[in-house]
Amino acid sequence: MSLEALLFQGLNGLAQASTLFMVAAGLSLVFGVTRIVNLAHGSFMMLGLYAAWTLATSLGGALGFWGGIVVAALGVGLLGAVLEVAILRRLYRAPELFQLLSTFAILLVLNDLALFLWGPEDLLGPRAPGLSGAVTILDRRFPSYDLFLIAAGPLVLLALHLVVTRSRFGRLIRAATEDREMVGALGVNQALLFTAVFALAAALAGLGGALQLPRQPATLTLDLEVIADAFVVTVVGGMGSLPGAFLAAILIAEIKALCIAIGQVSVFGVALNLSKFTLVAEFVVMAVVLIVRPYGLLGRPPVHVREGGEPEAPLRPAGTPARIAAVAVLACLAALPLAATGSPYTLVLATDILIAVLFAASLHFIMGPAGLHSFGHAAYFGLGAYATAIAVTRLGLPMGPAMLIAPTAGGAGAALFGWFSVRLSGVYLAMLTLAFAQIVWSILYQWEGLTGGSNGIFGAWPAAPFDSRAGFYLLALGVTVAGLLALRTALFSPFGYAMRAGRDSPLRAEAIGIGVFRVHWLAFILAGVFAGLAGALFAFAKGSVSPEIASIAESVDGLAMVLLGGVHSLLGPIVGASVFTWLSDTVSRTTDYWRAALGGIILLIVLVQPGGIMGGVGALGRHLRRARP
Amino acid sequence: MSLLHVAGLTKHFGGVVALDGVGFTVEAGEVVALIGPNGAGKSTCFNLINGQLAPDAGGISFDGASIVGIGPRRLFRMGIGRTFQIAAVFQSMTVVENVQMALLSANREIFRFLRGVPRRRRGEALALLDRVGLAGEADRAARTLAYGDLKRLELAVALANRPRLLLMDEPAAGMAPQERADLVSLTRRVVDADGTAVLFTEHSMDVVFAFADRILVLAEGRLIAQGAPEAVRADPLVQAHYLGTTTDTEDGP
């Protein structure tokens, strides 16, 4: 391709970079001041675009368009302020994991709000009055509105820079970013400062969205798409750094534009369509940056963040009553096919629950005892499910070997990604695991030849005697119980204790000769093995696999299950996955707004019962014992 | 041959010389204090020996083998134990499990996946707890211990591998005077019984003079004096540099 075409695509990239920067700058500001990673930030951009569409189409004309953009940005800023006061303010002292989950819950609620207000159709806005033409650049027609956007990015950076360096508000922002306690101690109204910063950030995202009005349609998938991009940008640029965000926005937008511009290339004789790999490309950039510069291009290592929340009580082996209860529950579950002969759906749901339990238990294994908060655990579930489906349908393997391939695939993926991720902690670990999961998802989605692309793979049915509902249910029960026992045994073994030792005090663990990295890496691999096994069960249960099973939403479902049950209880993931799967099945069959309901449940756990169900049961037990005379 | 041999140890931070050609030895079974005013280079020196920092020049050898650039895990295997300024234990475990972990690691039994920790090396761990006077607290959660008891637990953990040298970073920091005296006499008893050598830094002069066989005095990155406590106390250079010129005298002799 010609140099001109390449430069032209470069200009396109710059126009995209401006919106990306505005969204990412807000994300970065909020993180810098409040230490909260706001997963709902992409929703502000989406709502800004929707609001601008409504104003531009209902009012019409230059006032409706340009005035609409300004009003949309201000409105979204106001919404941000309301959310900060109503929800986020209660979370500043909560553990990072809870903050991330709550903001994801807000994302779910806002998404259903947009569905309710604007419906499921894509909405494309009008052209910009006054800037609807095009100019000729490099012998090509380039929209003049895009030129305006290219200028808007640096202008916003300049304005933000002036606010941050010259005003009292900006001085407070910088002070809070440097040392939060100090600002509080100096008698600054911290609550007001946080609300203002959050509103500013939301307004910036809303502005970024509204400015896209003539360029892209408003859709309900924008929130997740944009937050993924904005994350990559903030993490690559360095959390809390505005110039870093600007630099990274340009870098990411240009890389995407170049992938599209270059298109088809041939690597070692294999034709690759690069334009399909835009998603993979940006996450690869992020992974590389995090590995080489763990705190981003212009970021600095975070000040030690105290991990809040209830500390874990020592593990106690199950007593005789608990063992008897477990055997009784198991007997009931084994007898379920006899009881459920009248309602075949019961067994389908029960099988789904068993698969979710094994998946949640594998995630809890690293989240609780090892303190590794993976935000991309669905990747290993997806790898297992796809490995099985491919083994059965493409390689023609029988069921047994196909099921054994799944844990191998899950474990191998976890070994590769874990080797990079386990070194990090907190937000950075969450983001890198998320990035790896997105890479897996994109590969599943885009490698059509092997994975069937967006359609997935059909026809992975179990063989006799597991080809009946009851037969497969019993298989799932056997595999899940065996998996749970294996994980539980490992947690009580020296290895499981070493996992907790590395989480409690890495310094002490190393000083008594425990290699924390090795232990946590192996734990991550084991978690991948069991997630892969759950994936194999899933593939056979449904007879098909599709890319959604490795998506962010699936990973977050896993987190919600573990937290719902209680992260510091070995029964937590079992109870949490059961309740969660049953609940989301019930809710999704009664309402279109199940995402909002799920978001509400998550917020309820985090704000009201952070110990989860098992935490609540434990507290109740202690209370009763104390109340006894 | 000395157990620990330090020679010409030098470390710069940017343009600042934190440590300038420091050399000393610690003999087997000897208790040595490393003292000096704030900024004298104590912590730097300590962190060079325990492997947290790498020296710009100079050598450190333990039992005749160089330990420069060796991480904490290898040092533990070679027989160097340590305690931290702020006691570091595993909060989610019981007291006895903390000691069991050190014993399991010392015997290379960490990568075992079947039999549970509660049934491994409990007797040995209880014996160690008995030595530091914590046998009665064995099955309590470590996070519920009083700070003084946490320090004792840390000592039991550090002794699990029968170290020949124990590095203690301000062992008495953050403790009340009576607790401090108890901990010092306990530590002295235990290390004397095992023949364990100790190198420690400390701000409290009562601890230094009650505990140490020999004292090393650092000032401005150089070793300005060393010797028996009485000799060091009387040294005019030490008095000029240290005892007379710092504000750090609330625990002074």
Side-chain angles (χ1 to χ4, degrees), chain A residues 307-338:
Chain A
E307 185 74 10
E310 181 104 340
E312 190 189 4
L315 280 182
R316 303 277 182 214
T320 313
R323 281 165 198 265
I324 292 172
V327 171
V329 169
L330 200 57
C332 290
L333 288 176
L336 188 65
L338 299 175

Short mmCIF file of all heavy atoms in Angstrom, two decimals, chain A residues 307-338:
data_model
loop_
_atom_site.label_atom_id
_atom_site.label_comp_id
_atom_site.label_asym_id
_atom_site.label_seq_id
_atom_site.Cartn_x
_atom_site.Cartn_y
_atom_site.Cartn_z
N GLU A 307 -5.00 -3.17 52.18
CA GLU A 307 -6.09 -4.05 51.78
C GLU A 307 -7.07 -4.14 52.94
O GLU A 307 -6.75 -4.64 54.00
CB GLU A 307 -5.55 -5.43 51.41
CG GLU A 307 -6.56 -6.40 50.87
CD GLU A 307 -6.99 -6.09 49.45
OE1 GLU A 307 -6.35 -5.23 48.80
OE2 GLU A 307 -7.95 -6.68 48.99
N GLY A 308 -8.27 -3.59 52.75
CA GLY A 308 -9.24 -3.58 53.84
C GLY A 308 -9.98 -4.88 53.94
O GLY A 308 -9.57 -5.90 53.41
N GLY A 309 -11.08 -4.85 54.62
CA GLY A 309 -11.92 -6.03 54.69
C GLY A 309 -11.59 -6.93 55.86
O GLY A 309 -10.55 -6.82 56.50
N GLU A 310 -12.49 -7.83 56.13
CA GLU A 310 -12.38 -8.76 57.24
C GLU A 310 -11.23 -9.72 57.00
O GLU A 310 -11.15 -10.38 55.97
CB GLU A 310 -13.69 -9.54 57.32
CG GLU A 310 -13.75 -10.55 58.43
CD GLU A 310 -14.60 -10.05 59.58
OE1 GLU A 310 -14.82 -8.83 59.67
OE2 GLU A 310 -15.04 -10.87 60.36
N PRO A 311 -10.28 -9.84 57.95
CA PRO A 311 -9.22 -10.83 57.76
C PRO A 311 -9.79 -12.24 57.92
O PRO A 311 -10.81 -12.44 58.55
CB PRO A 311 -8.23 -10.51 58.88
CG PRO A 311 -9.00 -9.76 59.88
CD PRO A 311 -10.15 -9.09 59.20
N GLU A 312 -9.07 -13.18 57.30
CA GLU A 312 -9.56 -14.55 57.27
C GLU A 312 -9.24 -15.26 58.58
O GLU A 312 -8.17 -15.10 59.14
CB GLU A 312 -8.88 -15.28 56.10
CG GLU A 312 -9.46 -16.61 55.80
CD GLU A 312 -8.60 -17.35 54.80
OE1 GLU A 312 -7.54 -16.83 54.42
OE2 GLU A 312 -8.97 -18.44 54.39
N ALA A 313 -10.16 -16.09 59.04
CA ALA A 313 -9.93 -16.89 60.23
C ALA A 313 -9.17 -18.15 59.82
O ALA A 313 -9.23 -18.56 58.67
CB ALA A 313 -11.26 -17.26 60.87
N PRO A 314 -8.43 -18.78 60.77
CA PRO A 314 -7.69 -20.00 60.42
C PRO A 314 -8.62 -21.08 59.89
O PRO A 314 -9.79 -21.14 60.25
CB PRO A 314 -7.08 -20.43 61.75
CG PRO A 314 -7.00 -19.19 62.56
CD PRO A 314 -8.17 -18.35 62.15
N LEU A 315 -8.08 -21.95 59.01
CA LEU A 315 -8.85 -23.06 58.46
C LEU A 315 -9.09 -24.10 59.55
O LEU A 315 -8.19 -24.40 60.32
CB LEU A 315 -8.06 -23.74 57.33
CG LEU A 315 -8.04 -23.11 55.95
CD1 LEU A 315 -7.24 -24.00 55.02
CD2 LEU A 315 -9.44 -22.93 55.43
N ARG A 316 -10.28 -24.64 59.59
CA ARG A 316 -10.56 -25.74 60.51
C ARG A 316 -11.04 -26.94 59.69
O ARG A 316 -11.94 -26.79 58.88
CB ARG A 316 -11.66 -25.36 61.50
CG ARG A 316 -11.37 -24.13 62.32
CD ARG A 316 -10.50 -24.47 63.52
NE ARG A 316 -10.28 -23.25 64.32
CZ ARG A 316 -9.16 -23.00 64.98
NH1 ARG A 316 -8.18 -23.87 64.94
NH2 ARG A 316 -9.03 -21.90 65.68
N PRO A 317 -10.44 -28.11 59.90
CA PRO A 317 -10.94 -29.30 59.20
C PRO A 317 -12.39 -29.54 59.60
O PRO A 317 -12.80 -29.21 60.71
CB PRO A 317 -10.03 -30.42 59.72
CG PRO A 317 -8.85 -29.74 60.32
CD PRO A 317 -9.31 -28.40 60.79
N ALA A 318 -13.17 -30.12 58.66
CA ALA A 318 -14.59 -30.35 58.93
C ALA A 318 -14.75 -31.36 60.05
O ALA A 318 -14.05 -32.37 60.11
CB ALA A 318 -15.26 -30.86 57.66
N GLY A 319 -15.68 -31.09 60.97
CA GLY A 319 -15.96 -32.03 62.05
C GLY A 319 -16.92 -33.11 61.57
O GLY A 319 -17.37 -33.10 60.43
N THR A 320 -17.23 -34.03 62.48
CA THR A 320 -18.12 -35.14 62.10
C THR A 320 -19.50 -34.67 61.63
O THR A 320 -19.99 -35.16 60.61
CB THR A 320 -18.25 -36.13 63.28
OG1 THR A 320 -16.95 -36.38 63.79
CG2 THR A 320 -18.88 -37.43 62.82
N PRO A 321 -20.17 -33.74 62.33
CA PRO A 321 -21.49 -33.31 61.84
C PRO A 321 -21.44 -32.76 60.42
O PRO A 321 -22.29 -33.08 59.59
CB PRO A 321 -21.89 -32.20 62.83
CG PRO A 321 -21.03 -32.39 64.01
CD PRO A 321 -19.78 -33.04 63.56
N ALA A 322 -20.38 -31.97 60.12
CA ALA A 322 -20.26 -31.39 58.79
C ALA A 322 -20.06 -32.47 57.74
O ALA A 322 -20.63 -32.42 56.65
CB ALA A 322 -19.10 -30.40 58.75
N ARG A 323 -19.28 -33.50 58.09
CA ARG A 323 -19.06 -34.61 57.14
C ARG A 323 -20.36 -35.36 56.87
O ARG A 323 -20.67 -35.69 55.72
CB ARG A 323 -18.01 -35.58 57.69
CG ARG A 323 -16.59 -35.08 57.52
CD ARG A 323 -15.63 -35.88 58.39
NE ARG A 323 -14.39 -35.14 58.55
CZ ARG A 323 -13.31 -35.33 57.79
NH1 ARG A 323 -13.35 -36.22 56.82
NH2 ARG A 323 -12.22 -34.62 57.97
N ILE A 324 -21.11 -35.59 57.94
CA ILE A 324 -22.40 -36.30 57.77
C ILE A 324 -23.33 -35.47 56.88
O ILE A 324 -23.96 -35.99 55.95
CB ILE A 324 -23.04 -36.58 59.15
CG1 ILE A 324 -22.19 -37.61 59.90
CG2 ILE A 324 -24.48 -37.09 58.98
CD1 ILE A 324 -22.62 -37.82 61.33
N ALA A 325 -23.37 -34.16 57.14
CA ALA A 325 -24.23 -33.29 56.35
C ALA A 325 -23.81 -33.33 54.87
O ALA A 325 -24.65 -33.41 53.98
CB ALA A 325 -24.14 -31.86 56.88
N ALA A 326 -22.50 -33.32 54.63
CA ALA A 326 -22.01 -33.33 53.25
C ALA A 326 -22.43 -34.61 52.54
O ALA A 326 -22.89 -34.58 51.39
CB ALA A 326 -20.48 -33.18 53.23
N VAL A 327 -22.30 -35.74 53.23
CA VAL A 327 -22.69 -37.02 52.63
C VAL A 327 -24.19 -37.03 52.36
O VAL A 327 -24.65 -37.48 51.29
CB VAL A 327 -22.29 -38.20 53.56
CG1 VAL A 327 -22.88 -39.50 53.04
CG2 VAL A 327 -20.78 -38.30 53.62
N ALA A 328 -24.99 -36.47 53.30
CA ALA A 328 -26.44 -36.44 53.11
C ALA A 328 -26.81 -35.61 51.89
O ALA A 328 -27.64 -36.02 51.07
CB ALA A 328 -27.10 -35.90 54.37
N VAL A 329 -26.19 -34.43 51.77
CA VAL A 329 -26.47 -33.56 50.62
C VAL A 329 -26.10 -34.27 49.32
O VAL A 329 -26.86 -34.26 48.34
CB VAL A 329 -25.68 -32.23 50.73
CG1 VAL A 329 -25.75 -31.46 49.42
CG2 VAL A 329 -26.23 -31.40 51.88
N LEU A 330 -24.95 -34.95 49.35
CA LEU A 330 -24.50 -35.67 48.17
C LEU A 330 -25.49 -36.77 47.79
O LEU A 330 -25.81 -36.96 46.60
CB LEU A 330 -23.12 -36.28 48.46
CG LEU A 330 -22.28 -36.64 47.24
CD1 LEU A 330 -22.10 -35.42 46.35
CD2 LEU A 330 -20.93 -37.17 47.70
N ALA A 331 -26.01 -37.50 48.79
CA ALA A 331 -26.99 -38.56 48.53
C ALA A 331 -28.25 -37.98 47.89
O ALA A 331 -28.78 -38.52 46.92
CB ALA A 331 -27.32 -39.28 49.83
N CYS A 332 -28.70 -36.85 48.43
CA CYS A 332 -29.89 -36.19 47.86
C CYS A 332 -29.63 -35.81 46.40
O CYS A 332 -30.48 -36.03 45.53
CB CYS A 332 -30.25 -34.94 48.65
SG CYS A 332 -30.89 -35.30 50.28
N LEU A 333 -28.44 -35.23 46.14
CA LEU A 333 -28.12 -34.81 44.77
C LEU A 333 -28.07 -36.01 43.83
O LEU A 333 -28.51 -35.94 42.69
CB LEU A 333 -26.78 -34.06 44.75
CG LEU A 333 -26.81 -32.67 45.37
CD1 LEU A 333 -25.42 -32.05 45.39
CD2 LEU A 333 -27.77 -31.77 44.61
N ALA A 334 -27.51 -37.14 44.33
CA ALA A 334 -27.42 -38.33 43.49
C ALA A 334 -28.80 -38.89 43.19
O ALA A 334 -29.03 -39.51 42.15
CB ALA A 334 -26.54 -39.38 44.17
N ALA A 335 -29.76 -38.66 44.11
CA ALA A 335 -31.11 -39.18 43.92
C ALA A 335 -31.99 -38.23 43.12
O ALA A 335 -33.12 -38.58 42.78
CB ALA A 335 -31.74 -39.47 45.28
N LEU A 336 -31.46 -37.05 42.81
CA LEU A 336 -32.28 -36.04 42.13
C LEU A 336 -32.93 -36.54 40.83
O LEU A 336 -34.10 -36.24 40.58
CB LEU A 336 -31.43 -34.79 41.86
CG LEU A 336 -32.19 -33.57 41.33
CD1 LEU A 336 -33.19 -33.06 42.35
CD2 LEU A 336 -31.22 -32.46 40.94
N PRO A 337 -32.20 -37.31 39.98
CA PRO A 337 -32.83 -37.77 38.73
C PRO A 337 -34.12 -38.57 38.99
O PRO A 337 -35.04 -38.52 38.18
CB PRO A 337 -31.76 -38.67 38.10
CG PRO A 337 -30.48 -38.14 38.64
CD PRO A 337 -30.78 -37.68 40.02
N LEU A 338 -34.20 -39.30 40.12
CA LEU A 338 -35.41 -40.06 40.43
C LEU A 338 -36.54 -39.11 40.80
O LEU A 338 -37.69 -39.32 40.41
CB LEU A 338 -35.13 -41.02 41.60
CG LEU A 338 -34.04 -42.06 41.34
CD1 LEU A 338 -33.75 -42.87 42.60
CD2 LEU A 338 -34.46 -42.98 40.20
#
